[in-house]
Amino acid sequence: MGPLAPVNRPPKGLSQGPFETREGSRADRKPRMKMHLEPAAGVFIASEGDKPRSPAISLWRRVPVCAYYLAGLGMLVSSLSSLSSVIPLTGLTMAEGHTLLSVDYEIFGKVQGVFFRKYTQAEGKKLGLVGWVQNTDQGTVQGQIQGPTAQVRIMQEWLKTKGSPKSRIDKAKFHNEKVIPKLEHKDFLIVK
């Protein structure tokens, strides 16, 4: 017995014409399996030879076409909603309905040698912000964040209270806060 070979291929997408598959080319092969789309019910019907299967046997073979459409639509919606958190906000302007904010910051405490910059970059990117972060010679971390006001406020709170898991934040200073017409950075960078 050889692999299943298509006898007549249906057109791309859903077809309304019958198509068959058969196994091998010997005389003792199994009967041909026919499938057709029943437009009124929106299901594929499987039958052997020219006789349709009895409803009790063929019921499990009926595949509702609309279920495939709904599943595909659900996957599309899910993909688009998850993409919104990944797409960077570069190029946004106030004309598009976003109030963009730029804020400089400096964080005091045990913030060097505890991956503070790496966690800051990751949190900024997660929130869709751009900017930069760097260590200073005074043992602090400083930088700039830019993006929509709501996301900037969330990031400010994160910088004041959370930081990296091993950090200890004593104080956070925010200064040079201003509304900007367009983002000045393309990414969130760690400056060395």
Side-chain angles (χ1 to χ4, degrees), residues 13-14 35 37 42-44 60-76:
L14 298 177
M35 294 185 75
L37 177 64
V43 295
F44 277 111
W60 67 273
R61 295 223 177 186
R62 293 180 184 206
V63 181
V65 175
C66 64
Y68 289 116
Y69 292 129
L70 291 175
L73 182 61
M75 289 174 27
L76 176 65

Side-chain angles (χ1 to χ4, degrees), residues 7 20-22 29-34 47-50:
V7 174
E20 303 172 359
T21 59
R22 68 177 174 200
R29 70 179 179 256
K30 293 182 180 178
R32 293 179 179 179
M33 179 67 72
K34 290 185 176 182
S47 62
E48 285 184 22
D50 293 329

Side-chain angles (χ1 to χ4, degrees), residues 101-161:
L101 202 58
S102 176
V103 179
D104 296 339
Y105 61 89
E106 187 168 8
I107 312 300
F108 299 83
K110 184 181 177 188
V111 291
Q112 289 191 6
V114 291
F115 299 99
F116 194 90
R117 293 177 299 162
K118 182 179 176 181
Y119 277 85
T120 300
Q121 179 190 43
E123 186 69 15
K125 285 185 173 189
K126 184 174 104 179
L127 292 170
L129 300 173
V130 297
W132 55 272
V133 59
Q134 73 178 15
N135 286 340
T136 67
D137 294 336
Q138 295 76 33
T140 65
V141 170
Q142 69 179 8
Q144 184 178 72
I145 48 179
Q146 294 182 350
T149 303
Q151 270 64 26
V152 169
R153 297 293 182 230
I154 293 169
M155 184 68 176
Q156 284 179 306
E157 189 63 26
W158 185 89
L159 287 166
K160 281 192 282 189
T161 60

Side-chain angles (χ1 to χ4, degrees), residues 31-93:
R32 293 179 179 179
M33 179 67 72
K34 290 185 176 182
M35 294 185 75
H36 70 276
L37 177 64
E38 196 172 292
V43 295
F44 277 111
I45 305 294
S47 62
E48 285 184 22
D50 293 329
K51 59 178 185 169
R53 290 181 174 256
S54 66
I57 295 172
S58 67
L59 185 60
W60 67 273
R61 295 223 177 186
R62 293 180 184 206
V63 181
V65 175
C66 64
Y68 289 116
Y69 292 129
L70 291 175
L73 182 61
M75 289 174 27
L76 176 65
V77 169
S78 174
S79 297
L80 291 176
S81 64
S82 66
L83 263 179
S84 66
S85 64
V86 176
I87 297 173
L89 297 174
T90 55
L92 291 179
T93 64

